[in-house]
Structures are given as structure tokens and as C-alpha cells.
Amino acid sequence: MVTVLVPGALRTEAGGESRLDVAAGGTLRAVLDEIDQRWPRLGRRIRDERGELRRFVNVYVDGEDCRMLSGQDTPVAGGGEVQVLPSVAGGSVAQEVFDGDRVLAENFAPWVRELGLSVQETGSDWATLRLPWSDRLAREGGAMSGQALMAAADTATVIAVSAARGGFVPMTTVQLSTTFQRPVLGSDVLVTARLTKLGRTMAFADVTMTAKGTLVAHATTVYALL
Amino acid sequence: MTVLLLIGTAKGLFLARRDRVGDAWQLSVPQFPMTGVYAVGVDTRRATPRLLAAVDSSHFGPSVATSDDLGACWREPDHAPLAFPRDTDTALTRVWALQPGPAAEPDVVWAGTQPSALFRSTNGGLTYELVRSLWEHPHRTAWGEGFGGQAIHTILPHPTDPQRVLVAMSTGGVYRTTDGGASWHPANSGIHVSFLPDPFPEFGQCVHKVARDGADPERLYLQNHHGVYRSDDDGRTWTSIADGLPSDFGFAMVAHPRRGGTAWSFPITADALRFPVENRCRVFRTTDAGKTWTAQAYGLPTAPFYPSVLRDAMCADGGDPVGVYFGSRTGEVFASPDEGGSWALVAAHLPDVLCVRAVRL
């Protein structure tokens, strides 16, 4: 058995897993072939259709860059560890360091987790969460209830502050002001919180909520950092 | 009437939407953030238009995603939607063009790629196969490479004759098929090149964009790497229509979707001076198939303007009057609700705009 460590940016292609157990061994190529078989969307982001490693993806076998060893012919022993990392040459690495879904899972009340929020993207001062449509969130008339949108805006701000600080920060909401501009009927809502100021003890954010690309609600939030 | 504008940028796809002229544009957050979106397409042959996006991660490679709910959710197949077959020993660099086929072939979508190749989908753009007849063309090894890379960037299916398709590449020029893709022939007669010893070669031109006339499908407008041309015989021969323009260099060329003789261009000073002519932000329109061109700049910035407009960063929608849209390499997007008569800003401070496409909902 070989363990494959998946970077944050590719976890959605591996069912959300950060570690995968792979039966194949022998060479790195055999390990990557099994990934192609079992997680093809992950596999094609690591290697192109010729089977070559993508230029800005680095693969480490037991901590050593495979390009410094024998490339895909590098031996991988049972119990070995293969780590996939995007190289610094490409884009932002913030999302590889910060795991927003873990912050969500570990720090919120059960009823908030039941909203089914997931972290889509985070940046140096922002976070986008998806609030999936559910009939349970609908109020009379069939539209998504404002309470659900406000909870999502609140949560998105916590994730944005945590992303900016590189990990979960305890905080308490001081103010949350929301305008509901259009009804949400049957579609997911993308909730993006952008920090307009992040101080030592206070954080301020602007939150947009969109469904099918259209603004449905807008909020401004203020937090005391504990 | 609602307009949905897809804005592909160097760092993701933005969707801008407004319900009526005069309303503010609502701009989405970036979708596929930190990926270059070099091509977008809108397939209006479906009840709900299908959106197509070519996304290119500098780390994790290229792919094609589709949305059937106007951009709320995107999907990608497990296996690569578009890849070179093993025997070609070639890897896809990126997709440069996504073009729905004619009405008679409702599930056909074409894709143009870097390196220069044509792909065809028969399931509405979800997955694609290499068009081997063009890949195996004896000229292929002689096709060159422009500054942006070697790619097929323009695909023009004939609207009523599925046997006819025209493609353009940088560099290589225009090729066309009249037998449903069984054979391909260069179609560059009359197009000048400045960078080869023979000024009128059979192929090898650096064509930047071709647009098909909205009323006469035999008529085409072409922006070359220096040179603006028209063809009245589906690409067999070309004649210059550059005299009425302030420069014969540029990248974009957009035809009116219905009215014959009408097209828009965004002239750039020269190959070696890639600023708008006189550093002024101006679109030029012809309504007489290129005999004369008129500047359209009402509402556009009046201060010196330096960014260029890339080959796919200008488009028209299907409205009446037609809306025209363009984006700049400095992340500004402008819209005209009245065929270029007046312009207003849709969005600013975006990443470099690589492509725009608009649809009326």
C-alpha cells in the first residue's frame, strides 16, 4: 500500500480526500496509473494525455522530488508516500495552506453545518462558499429563507478572516446588516465575503450573495476578534 | 431584455448580466479563479443556452467545462473532454475556440486548439474528437507560430451547408472544407504576408480573425497581421477593405448577426506599436462591406488609451438593435446597446480580458 497526499487545490477531484491509499507499487508510474483509473479527474491534472508530468506539478516520493530521482520510473516501496504539490511557479498557494472545509467542520454549531455549506475558493482576503439549495431552507412561497442567507454570510466572513490569518480565528459577530434583493428559487447561492478591513481586534467585510450569476442579497458585517 | 455577457480573463470567468438597458450590470465573482479562460461559447440551439468555457490552469492543464443553468453550476467529465489521441504523441496546450455548429447539426460543437488542430463534438460540447483529416494535412508541419502560440482560433461553420467549414490559424492562414471535413484546402488567395520572402504564399499567413456576414454566408471579413480583407466567395479569394481604416493592424473582427455589410473592428497602430491608433479608444464600423469605416467612440474613454483588444475580446449579441461588447487587456469591458452608437462601462479592474461572448435571454 502506498499513500498519496493530495494538495488542497485538487481535493475536489479526489472526493475531498487529502490522503489516498493506492494498492499499486513498484514505480511512481504504476501509482499514477492507478490514480488515472480510480480518480481520472485527479490523474489528468497531474499528467497530460501523453502520460508526462505537467510542467508545474511536482511529485515527491518519500520527500524527494521525482525529477531529481528517476522521474516516473522512481521506485516506490510498500508503505511509501507520494506527495503531489503544485510548484510555486503557477498561481496562488494560499489555498493549499488553508483548508476552509476543515475550519467549517470543526468550528461551527451543528445546525450551521446542516446548511451544507462548502468552501469553493479562498484568497488572501476573501472566501466564496456555496449554499446548496434545499427545500428545507424554503419559506412560505418557496423562496430561500433570509435566515439561511444571513447564516451563510456570517459563516463566509469567518472563513474569509480565517483564510486571511492562515487558520481558524475565534471571533464574535458584532453587526450583520443584510438586504434581500431578489428571491432565490431552487438554485444554489454563492456567498463571497471580502474583507474591507482586517485589524488586530476588528474585522469588516462586504458579502455578496449570487444565484445563477445574479445578485440576490448583500450584507455588511463587523466582527470582534477574540 | 436580459443580456448575459461571458467575460473570459487571464484569471477566471466573469458573468455580467443586466435585465434592461439603463440598469446596472451585475457582475459575478470569478468562476474558475486563477485559470486562463481563452475561449467561451454560447450554444443557443438549446431551450436554455449551454455555456462552454475553455479553462487553462497553469498548474493542472487545460479542460472544457459546460453549464446548462447559465453559469450557476459547471460540469466537466471525469475523463479529459478534449485530448490528443496517443498515436499523435502530442499534448493539448489549450483550447482557443469553442464554436457551436449549424442549426442542422444541433449537437455538433467545434473546438480549435493549440497546437493547431480542430476537434469536433457530437454531444453538444461535452467531449471532443480530433479531426484527423486536418491534423494529417501535408502542410501541417510547415505551419508556423505567432507570438501567442500556434493555434486554430477561428472556426466558421457554414450556416446552411454542413459540408462547408472554414478555419483560421496563426500562423498558417485560412483552410476550408467543402466535403464535410474529408479534405481541407488553403484559402488565402490575395492575403499578403510581410514576414516571408513570397508576399502571397499559398498558406502561412498570420490571420488574426475571420467573421462571416450575417446576411450573405458567402461573404467574410478578415483581420490579418497587417491587412483587412473581404471575400465574396466563401474564402476562395480576398480583396483589401483596409483603405477606410486608420490602420490595417488589429485582432478583432465582428459581423452583424443579421444585417449584411455591417462589421466592427478595433484598429491597432501596427505590429511593432500595439496601441490603439492615436492612443484613442475607438471602435470602427462599416455598413457597406468595408468600402467605408466610421469611428464609434461616444461614451468611450477620451483620455489616452493604451491597451489592445484581443481577437476574441469583441462580440455582438442577437438583439435588435444588436448589442456590441469589447474588453481590454487592462480589464475594462464596454457595451453598446445600439450597434456601437453609444458605449458604457460594464466592468473595470478585471484581469486581462481574453474573450467575450453575449447572449440575449
Side-chain angles (χ1 to χ4, degrees), chain B residues 8-338:
Chain B
T9 78
K11 293 185 188 175
L13 172 68
F14 294 80
L15 301 176
R17 182 180 173 127
R18 77 170 171 191
D19 293 332
R20 60 189 71 77
V21 174
D23 283 4
W25 289 89
Q26 303 291 340
L27 188 70
S28 76
V29 295
Q31 315 205 12
F32 314 106
M34 297 307 289
T35 64
V37 178
Y38 281 79
V40 287
V42 182
D43 190 346
T44 55
R45 298 169 298 176
R46 293 164 186 276
T48 301
R50 174 172 287 174
L51 309 185
L52 305 133
V55 296
D56 180 12
S57 161
S58 55
H59 284 120
F60 306 122
S63 194
V64 176
T66 58
S67 173
D68 287 334
D69 56 9
L70 302 176
C73 301
W74 293 84
R75 64 175 166 166
E76 241 190 89
D78 280 350
H79 293 277
L82 195 158
F84 281 89
R86 266 292 161 101
D87 65 284
T88 62
D89 193 30
T90 302
L92 175 68
T93 302
R94 67 173 52 120
V95 175
W96 281 58
L98 290 167
Q99 175 61 53
E105 295 180 325
D107 290 316
V108 169
V109 176
W110 298 91
T113 67
Q114 175 184 349
S116 285
L118 183 66
F119 286 75
R120 185 172 187 263
S121 169
T122 53
N123 58 11
L126 305 181
T127 59
Y128 300 78
E129 283 190 19
L130 177 68
V131 176
R132 285 190 178 265
S133 53
L134 186 57
W135 180 254
E136 288 161 4
H137 196 285
H139 291 173
R140 185 176 66 82
T141 53
W143 292 340
E145 187 167 337
F147 179 68
Q150 186 217 48
I152 288 182
H153 50 66
T154 299
I155 307 162
L156 295 176
H158 193 282
T160 56
D161 179 359
Q163 297 298 301
R164 283 199 267 169
V165 181
L166 178 145
V167 301
M169 65 187 86
S170 302
T171 63
V174 176
Y175 283 72
R176 58 196 288 273
T177 180
T178 56
D179 54 15
S183 63
W184 296 84
H185 303 282
N188 301 291
S189 179
I191 304 175
H192 185 264
V193 302
S194 53
F195 51 85
L196 293 173
D198 177 357
F200 291 100
E202 182 189 19
F203 67 96
Q205 282 81 351
C206 187
V207 173
H208 287 178
K209 201 70 206 171
V210 190
R212 196 185 289 277
D213 188 85
D216 177 1
E218 306 301 308
R219 178 170 273 182
L220 301 156
Y221 308 97
L222 183 149
Q223 175 67 60
N224 197 44
H225 188 99
H226 280 301
V228 183
Y229 297 91
R230 190 184 81 216
S231 171
D232 293 328
D233 52 14
D234 196 24
R236 278 184 286 269
T237 59
W238 299 89
T239 52
S240 175
I241 52 169
D243 284 352
L245 284 163
S247 160
D248 68 355
F249 195 81
F251 293 95
M253 180 62 74
V254 171
H256 193 292
R258 294 180 306 276
R259 192 180 319 124
T262 299
W264 290 269
S265 128
F266 192 95
I268 305 290
T269 307
D271 174 13
L273 197 63
R274 296 189 183 194
F275 302 118
V277 179
E278 298 170 21
N279 305 328
R280 293 164 69 186
C281 183
R282 290 181 299 175
V283 172
F284 280 74
R285 180 179 70 167
T286 180
T287 55
D288 54 14
K291 287 191 203 63
T292 61
W293 296 84
T294 306
Q296 293 188 305
Y298 183 77
L300 292 177
T302 52
F305 190 84
Y306 296 101
S308 46
V309 173
L310 295 177
R311 74 183 87 236
D312 282 302
M314 183 185 269
C315 71
D317 66 23
D320 186 14
V322 157
V324 187
Y325 310 84
F326 72 92
S328 75
R329 294 204 71 176
T330 49
E332 296 154 300
V333 180
F334 299 95
S336 168
D338 52 7

Side-chain angles (χ1 to χ4, degrees), chain A residues 67-83:
Chain A
R67 289 192 176 91
M68 300 295 141
L69 303 169
S70 304
Q72 292 190 56
D73 294 323
T74 301
V76 181
E81 185 180 84
V82 170
Q83 184 170 18

Side-chain angles (χ1 to χ4, degrees), chain A residues 7 9-10 13 36 40-41 44-46 48-51 54-57 86-92 121 126 128 130 182 187-188 190 192 194 208 210-215, chain B residues 4 15 17 19 26-34 58-64 69-86 89-92:
Chain A
L10 289 180
E13 316 298 9
D36 280 351
R41 287 168 60 116
R44 65 185 165 93
R45 282 160 167 81
I46 299 171
D48 67 24
E49 62 264 51
R50 287 174 307 178
R54 294 198 181 278
R55 185 176 165 204
F56 294 120
V57 172
S87 82
V88 75
S92 161
E121 293 289 336
W126 59 276
T128 298
R130 180 180 292 274
R182 291 182 180 83
S187 56
D188 295 0
L190 288 173
T192 297
R194 287 176 192 286
T208 55
T210 62
K212 295 183 177 175
T214 299
L215 187 76
Chain B
L4 179 66
L15 301 176
R17 182 180 173 127
D19 293 332
Q26 303 291 340
L27 188 70
S28 76
V29 295
Q31 315 205 12
F32 314 106
M34 297 307 289
S58 55
H59 284 120
F60 306 122
S63 194
V64 176
D69 56 9
L70 302 176
C73 301
W74 293 84
R75 64 175 166 166
E76 241 190 89
D78 280 350
H79 293 277
L82 195 158
F84 281 89
R86 266 292 161 101
D89 193 30
T90 302
L92 175 68

Side-chain angles (χ1 to χ4, degrees), chain A residues 153-199:
Chain A
D154 197 29
T155 308
T157 310
V158 175
I159 299 296
V161 171
S162 299
R165 287 285 185 87
F168 176 70
V169 179
M171 67 191 89
T172 187
T173 310
V174 176
Q175 191 239 15
L176 192 158
S177 170
T178 311
T179 56
F180 303 99
Q181 304 186 14
R182 291 182 180 83
V184 179
L185 296 163
S187 56
D188 295 0
V189 177
L190 288 173
V191 185
T192 297
R194 287 176 192 286
L195 303 181
T196 51
K197 173 171 164 75
L198 177 60

